[in-house]
Amino acid sequence: MRSIVFNLSTLCMGFLAFSQNTNHHKTKKTNNVATVVHKNPKDLFDPAPFAFSHATTNEVDGKYIFISGQSGGEGLEHHLSKDFRTQVKFSLKNLETVLADYRLGVNDVLKITVLMVDHDQEKLKIWTEEMHKVWKNNKFPASTLIPVPRLALDDMMIEVDAVAFIKK
Protein backbone atom coordinates (compact mmCIF):
# COMPACT_ATOMS: atom_id res chain seq x y z
CA MET A 1 0.00 0.00 0.00
CA ARG A 2 2.83 2.40 0.86
CA SER A 3 4.43 1.82 -2.54
CA ILE A 4 1.13 2.64 -4.26
CA VAL A 5 0.77 5.86 -2.24
CA PHE A 6 4.42 6.73 -2.87
CA ASN A 7 4.08 6.05 -6.61
CA LEU A 8 0.92 8.16 -6.80
CA SER A 9 2.66 10.92 -4.85
CA THR A 10 5.64 10.78 -7.18
CA LEU A 11 3.36 10.92 -10.21
CA CYS A 12 1.49 13.91 -8.76
CA MET A 13 4.78 15.67 -8.02
CA GLY A 14 5.82 15.14 -11.65
CA PHE A 15 2.58 16.69 -12.85
CA LEU A 16 3.05 19.52 -10.37
CA ALA A 17 6.55 20.23 -11.64
CA PHE A 18 5.36 20.17 -15.26
CA SER A 19 2.41 22.47 -14.49
CA GLN A 20 4.77 25.01 -12.93
CA ASN A 21 6.78 25.38 -16.14
CA THR A 22 5.05 28.41 -17.58
CA ASN A 23 7.85 29.59 -19.85
CA HIS A 24 5.97 28.30 -22.88
CA HIS A 25 2.64 29.87 -21.88
CA LYS A 26 1.65 33.47 -21.45
CA THR A 27 -1.24 34.49 -19.28
CA LYS A 28 -3.88 36.05 -21.46
CA LYS A 29 -7.06 37.73 -20.39
CA THR A 30 -9.96 36.32 -22.33
CA ASN A 31 -13.70 36.13 -22.01
CA ASN A 32 -13.56 32.61 -20.56
CA VAL A 33 -14.78 33.90 -17.22
CA ALA A 34 -18.02 32.18 -16.34
CA THR A 35 -20.81 33.82 -14.44
CA VAL A 36 -20.07 32.47 -10.98
CA VAL A 37 -22.88 32.88 -8.49
CA HIS A 38 -21.90 33.08 -4.82
CA LYS A 39 -24.59 32.09 -2.32
CA ASN A 40 -24.45 33.06 1.32
CA PRO A 41 -27.91 32.50 2.80
CA LYS A 42 -29.01 35.19 5.23
CA ASP A 43 -29.87 32.47 7.78
CA LEU A 44 -26.17 31.55 8.00
CA PHE A 45 -23.20 33.62 9.22
CA ASP A 46 -21.27 35.85 6.80
CA PRO A 47 -18.29 33.74 5.67
CA ALA A 48 -16.46 36.54 3.77
CA PRO A 49 -14.19 37.50 6.71
CA PHE A 50 -13.07 33.86 6.75
CA ALA A 51 -12.35 33.83 2.98
CA PHE A 52 -15.02 31.49 1.64
CA SER A 53 -18.60 31.36 0.37
CA HIS A 54 -21.21 28.88 1.57
CA ALA A 55 -21.92 27.79 -2.01
CA THR A 56 -21.07 28.63 -5.61
CA THR A 57 -22.45 27.65 -8.98
CA ASN A 58 -22.47 28.95 -12.55
CA GLU A 59 -25.12 30.03 -15.03
CA VAL A 60 -23.61 29.17 -18.42
CA ASP A 61 -22.72 26.09 -20.46
CA GLY A 62 -19.16 24.91 -20.11
CA LYS A 63 -16.96 22.35 -18.45
CA TYR A 64 -15.40 21.79 -15.07
CA ILE A 65 -11.65 21.78 -14.51
CA PHE A 66 -10.51 19.55 -11.63
CA ILE A 67 -7.17 20.75 -10.31
CA SER A 68 -4.98 18.40 -8.31
CA GLY A 69 -3.66 19.47 -4.94
CA GLN A 70 -1.10 22.24 -5.31
CA SER A 71 1.52 22.34 -2.60
CA GLY A 72 3.60 25.27 -1.49
CA GLY A 73 6.58 24.00 -3.48
CA GLU A 74 8.66 26.62 -5.28
CA GLY A 75 9.91 26.25 -8.84
CA LEU A 76 10.66 23.17 -10.87
CA GLU A 77 12.77 21.80 -8.03
CA HIS A 78 9.69 22.04 -5.78
CA HIS A 79 11.62 23.61 -2.91
CA LEU A 80 9.52 23.57 0.28
CA SER A 81 10.14 26.48 2.63
CA LYS A 82 10.09 25.83 6.38
CA ASP A 83 7.81 28.89 6.67
CA PHE A 84 4.07 28.17 6.60
CA ARG A 85 3.08 31.54 5.09
CA THR A 86 5.58 31.06 2.26
CA GLN A 87 4.08 27.66 1.47
CA VAL A 88 0.57 29.14 1.52
CA LYS A 89 1.61 31.87 -0.92
CA PHE A 90 3.20 29.35 -3.29
CA SER A 91 0.28 26.91 -3.09
CA LEU A 92 -1.99 29.76 -4.23
CA LYS A 93 0.54 30.87 -6.85
CA ASN A 94 0.78 27.29 -8.14
CA LEU A 95 -3.03 27.14 -8.31
CA GLU A 96 -3.03 30.37 -10.32
CA THR A 97 -0.42 28.86 -12.67
CA VAL A 98 -2.65 25.89 -13.45
CA LEU A 99 -5.65 28.18 -13.92
CA ALA A 100 -3.66 30.42 -16.27
CA ASP A 101 -2.88 27.40 -18.45
CA TYR A 102 -6.64 27.26 -19.11
CA ARG A 103 -6.78 31.07 -19.46
CA LEU A 104 -8.71 31.23 -16.21
CA GLY A 105 -8.19 33.09 -12.95
CA VAL A 106 -9.11 32.64 -9.31
CA ASN A 107 -12.58 34.06 -9.90
CA ASP A 108 -13.33 30.97 -12.03
CA VAL A 109 -12.79 28.68 -9.03
CA LEU A 110 -16.02 27.26 -7.66
CA LYS A 111 -14.60 25.07 -4.86
CA ILE A 112 -11.32 24.61 -3.05
CA THR A 113 -10.23 22.01 -0.54
CA VAL A 114 -7.37 22.86 1.79
CA LEU A 115 -5.33 20.16 3.51
CA MET A 116 -3.33 21.65 6.37
CA VAL A 117 -0.76 19.83 8.51
CA ASP A 118 -1.08 20.49 12.24
CA HIS A 119 -3.89 23.02 11.79
CA ASP A 120 -4.19 25.71 14.45
CA GLN A 121 -5.73 29.18 14.73
CA GLU A 122 -2.50 30.96 13.70
CA LYS A 123 -2.29 28.90 10.49
CA LEU A 124 -5.96 29.55 9.80
CA LYS A 125 -5.32 33.29 10.24
CA ILE A 126 -2.41 33.16 7.76
CA TRP A 127 -4.50 31.17 5.27
CA THR A 128 -7.35 33.68 5.53
CA GLU A 129 -5.04 36.68 5.09
CA GLU A 130 -3.46 35.18 1.96
CA MET A 131 -6.87 34.26 0.50
CA HIS A 132 -7.95 37.89 0.90
CA LYS A 133 -4.84 39.00 -1.00
CA VAL A 134 -5.57 36.66 -3.93
CA TRP A 135 -9.38 37.02 -4.06
CA LYS A 136 -9.35 40.82 -3.93
CA ASN A 137 -13.05 41.12 -4.76
CA ASN A 138 -14.01 39.06 -1.67
CA LYS A 139 -16.08 36.69 -3.83
CA PHE A 140 -14.59 33.49 -2.50
CA PRO A 141 -15.13 29.94 -3.72
CA ALA A 142 -16.88 27.36 -1.59
CA SER A 143 -14.22 25.88 0.65
CA THR A 144 -13.40 22.98 2.94
CA LEU A 145 -10.38 22.90 5.26
CA ILE A 146 -9.23 19.47 6.41
CA PRO A 147 -6.60 19.17 9.16
CA VAL A 148 -4.22 16.29 8.40
CA PRO A 149 -1.26 14.75 10.25
CA ARG A 150 0.96 14.83 7.15
CA LEU A 151 1.00 15.20 3.38
CA ALA A 152 2.84 13.46 0.52
CA LEU A 153 6.29 14.91 1.28
CA ASP A 154 7.92 15.35 4.68
CA ASP A 155 8.08 19.15 4.61
CA MET A 156 4.70 19.84 2.95
CA MET A 157 2.50 21.90 5.28
CA ILE A 158 -0.38 22.70 2.93
CA GLU A 159 -2.04 21.42 -0.23
CA VAL A 160 -4.89 23.10 -2.10
CA ASP A 161 -7.04 21.47 -4.76
CA ALA A 162 -9.77 23.20 -6.72
CA VAL A 163 -12.67 22.85 -9.10
CA ALA A 164 -12.92 25.62 -11.68
CA PHE A 165 -15.35 26.25 -14.51
CA ILE A 166 -14.71 27.36 -18.06
CA LYS A 167 -17.60 28.49 -20.23
CA LYS A 168 -18.11 27.19 -23.76
Side-chain angles (χ1 to χ4, degrees):
M1 181 66 175
R2 283 186 176 179
S3 67
I4 292 171
V5 171
F6 178 75
N7 287 337
L8 286 173
S9 296
T10 303
L11 180 63
C12 289
M13 295 308 297
F15 285 124
L16 173 68
F18 178 77
S19 73
Q20 290 179 350
N21 182 2
T22 59
N23 294 337
H24 59 285
H25 296 286
K26 292 184 179 180
T27 303
K28 297 178 185 174
K29 290 194 176 199
T30 66
N31 291 328
N32 286 339
V33 178
T35 304
V36 177
V37 178
H38 302 81
K39 290 284 187 173
N40 293 306
K42 299 297 179 202
D43 292 342
L44 296 176
F45 72 95
D46 179 12
F50 305 99
F52 74 95
S53 293
H54 284 294
T56 58
T57 189
N58 59 67
E59 296 182 332
V60 296
D61 289 333
K63 62 182 176 180
Y64 292 96
I65 311 298
F66 296 90
I67 301 170
S68 295
Q70 298 300 306
S71 75
E74 300 174 44
L76 294 177
E77 297 80 30
H78 197 257
H79 169 75
L80 290 163
S81 171
K82 299 288 186 192
D83 177 64
F84 180 72
R85 185 178 298 271
T86 301
Q87 283 201 25
V88 168
K89 287 179 179 182
F90 274 94
S91 68
L92 292 169
K93 181 180 180 219
N94 294 339
L95 174 61
E96 288 180 289
T97 299
V98 175
L99 289 165
D101 208 47
Y102 285 93
R103 296 183 181 164
L104 297 173
V106 295
N107 294 324
D108 299 302
V109 174
L110 297 173
K111 170 82 167 86
I112 59 173
T113 302
V114 182
L115 304 171
M116 192 179 293
V117 174
D118 297 327
H119 169 271
D120 61 24
Q121 292 305 300
E122 181 59 28
K123 287 181 178 176
L124 180 59
K125 180 179 179 249
I126 291 168
W127 169 254
T128 302
E129 289 169 356
E130 296 304 321
M131 281 288 290
H132 278 280
K133 291 176 186 175
V134 174
W135 271 267
K136 295 177 175 119
N137 65 2
N138 284 341
K139 293 188 183 228
F140 301 102
S143 177
T144 301
L145 188 150
I146 303 171
V148 295
R150 73 172 266 119
L151 290 165
L153 300 174
D154 288 338
D155 294 328
M156 279 177 66
M157 294 183 244
I158 191 165
E159 186 171 1
V160 180
D161 76 28
V163 178
F165 187 81
I166 186 169
K167 74 177 185 177
K168 285 186 179 177

